[in-house]
Amino acid sequence: MAATTVPENYRNAVIAHIMLERAACAISFYVQAFRAEELFRLDGPDGRILHAEISIQGSTIMLGDAEGPHFGAPTAIGGTTVGLHVYVDDVDALVRQAVAAGADLLQPPTDQFHGDRTAILRDPFGHVWVFLTHLEDLTPEELARRAREFSRAGA
């Protein structure tokens, strides 16, 4: 059977591959907090996770224990430069569940000018998550108008 060059679940996407400390604990947290589904994992001989994949509402995320010279866990480097955005059916319910599981709420669910209700959380492993529920479709012109109004209001 011939392999597809780009598997369907990776089509038209940049796949986040997050590195962290205690990847097995992180997977358990993501299942509890974000309703993630574990797709698979490859355990190393030392019990660390070489590679795993989870799905949050259909979005595939790769993860593993950080090691080597190229990847560091956010907790080891003192922050992160990436925000992981995931659209969900009910951002308010997800935030309640995630906070109860131990996530830090950085921004409560708020209706945004761009037509989404958005919340920002930090997981116990140092990654920042932006969860969104889409509320309305906007034309490019309406989005630009709202962005200008938002910029003026913040100035």
Side-chain angles (χ1 to χ4, degrees), residues 66-88:
E67 61 181 72
H70 302 295
F71 297 104
T75 52
I77 63 172
T80 182
T81 62
V82 175
L84 302 162
H85 288 63
V86 181
Y87 278 91
V88 297

Side-chain angles (χ1 to χ4, degrees), residues 10 15 29 77 87 93 95-97 116 124 128 132 141:
Y10 301 137
I15 299 99
F29 173 81
I77 63 172
Y87 278 91
V95 165
R96 286 190 298 274
Q97 183 172 330
D116 298 317
V128 174
L132 312 96
E141 296 79 19

Side-chain angles (χ1 to χ4, degrees), residues 14-127:
V14 173
I15 299 99
H17 189 158
I18 60 176
M19 305 308 282
L20 32 76
E21 295 171 356
R22 302 179 304 125
C25 293
I27 291 171
S28 295
F29 173 81
Y30 297 144
V31 167
Q32 180 182 5
F34 304 154
R35 296 184 218 120
E37 173 189 352
E38 183 176 339
L39 303 175
F40 76 91
R41 74 169 74 184
L42 301 173
D43 293 315
D46 61 356
R48 295 168 52 85
I49 294 179
L50 300 174
H51 182 82
E53 294 185 13
I54 61 173
S55 174
I56 301 174
Q57 290 216 347
S59 294
T60 299
I61 299 168
M62 299 176 180
L63 61 103
D65 281 296
E67 61 181 72
H70 302 295
F71 297 104
T75 52
I77 63 172
T80 182
T81 62
V82 175
L84 302 162
H85 288 63
V86 181
Y87 278 91
V88 297
D89 292 328
D90 185 345
V91 70
D92 294 88
L94 184 128
V95 165
R96 286 190 298 274
Q97 183 172 330
V99 169
D104 292 327
L105 182 61
L106 303 178
Q107 176 195 299
T110 307
D111 293 350
Q112 302 290 340
F113 73 89
H114 46 77
D116 298 317
R117 186 163 177 80
T118 305
I120 304 175
L121 300 158
R122 181 182 303 110
D123 70 33
F125 309 92
H127 289 285

